Amino acid sequence: MTGRPIWRLLLRGLGVYLPGWEMPAGALRVRDGFGPPAYLNGDAGFGVQISGRRRGLEPDREIYVRGRENPSFGIVVAGPAAAIGSRVVDAEVLMRFARRLTFEELFDTGDADSVPYAVRGARAVENAVFLDRAAGIGLCAEVDPVTRAPRCPLYVRLGGPAERTVRVYGSAAQPAEARG
């Protein structure tokens, strides 16, 4: 998992939105339950249930591009989970939200020529990291390169500012081989 683009995107996002948070010496993998509000949904991976949904919230975002000839886009979004607009957030919902944000970021309302670029960019989003600092949760979604199906192989628990901890849980359904 640590060699895959979604892992590198998560680390970049943590560096941008949670600066100074480091893995403590002697930290071990946690293999016990991950607790609410996350759940596992077979091959689709993790999902979360949130208490509310609100449109119009503008979360922070950073877009990353890999490759030149056939670029792959990744986006890190930090803000309230309610901004996603769904009470249940899983891989499909998160990827749809990430693609919409990418389109909005690349589209220039004053330039009609930006539409094809924005559409291609939105379709090329293959990795998305969402971090809700206030709720202390995050999800990482990726598109399987073979089946093109989205899945959330990683769930993130963020400790409070005093703790400065980040716990990342991987789904049991994740592929055994690292891709990247």
Side-chain angles (χ1 to χ4, degrees):
M1 178 58 78
T2 58
R4 292 179 19 201
I6 191 67
W7 182 259
R8 291 189 300 271
L9 189 63
L10 172 61
L11 294 180
R12 282 185 180 163
L14 292 173
V16 169
Y17 294 112
L18 302 171
W21 289 34
E22 298 177 15
M23 188 165 109
L28 300 173
R29 286 184 157 184
V30 178
R31 296 188 185 275
D32 60 348
F34 38 85
Y39 62 88
L40 274 169
N41 185 16
D43 291 341
F46 289 101
V48 293
Q49 294 183 3
I50 58 174
S51 58
R53 57 182 176 204
R54 292 193 332 233
R55 298 222 181 250
L57 297 173
E58 285 297 320
D60 296 326
R61 65 197 81 160
E62 290 287 329
I63 297 174
Y64 298 91
V65 182
R66 282 185 40 223
R68 290 187 181 185
E69 289 182 30
N70 193 10
S72 161
F73 284 65
I75 184 170
V76 178
V77 182
I84 295 174
S86 177
R87 294 188 73 144
V88 175
V89 180
D90 58 11
E92 286 188 30
V93 170
L94 182 54
M95 288 305 289
R96 190 170 37 251
F97 180 68
R99 288 174 173 155
R100 181 175 58 85
L101 289 179
T102 301
F103 177 85
E104 290 171 0
E105 195 71 25
L106 299 176
F107 174 63
D108 179 359
T109 57
D111 181 10
D113 292 338
S114 70
V115 173
Y117 177 69
V119 169
R120 279 193 309 273
R123 288 181 179 160
V125 172
E126 293 185 347
N127 298 282
V129 172
F130 189 86
L131 303 170
D132 183 334
R133 294 169 283 199
I137 60 171
L139 276 179
C140 302
E142 66 183 358
V143 174
D144 184 280
V146 176
T147 66
R148 306 304 300 160
R151 57 185 309 273
C152 285
L154 300 173
Y155 170 65
V156 181
R157 292 295 299 228
L158 307 169
E163 294 176 47
R164 300 182 71 78
T165 59
V166 176
R167 291 181 176 89
V168 180
Y169 301 90
S171 69
Q174 66 190 353
E177 64 182 285
R179 299 180 194 150

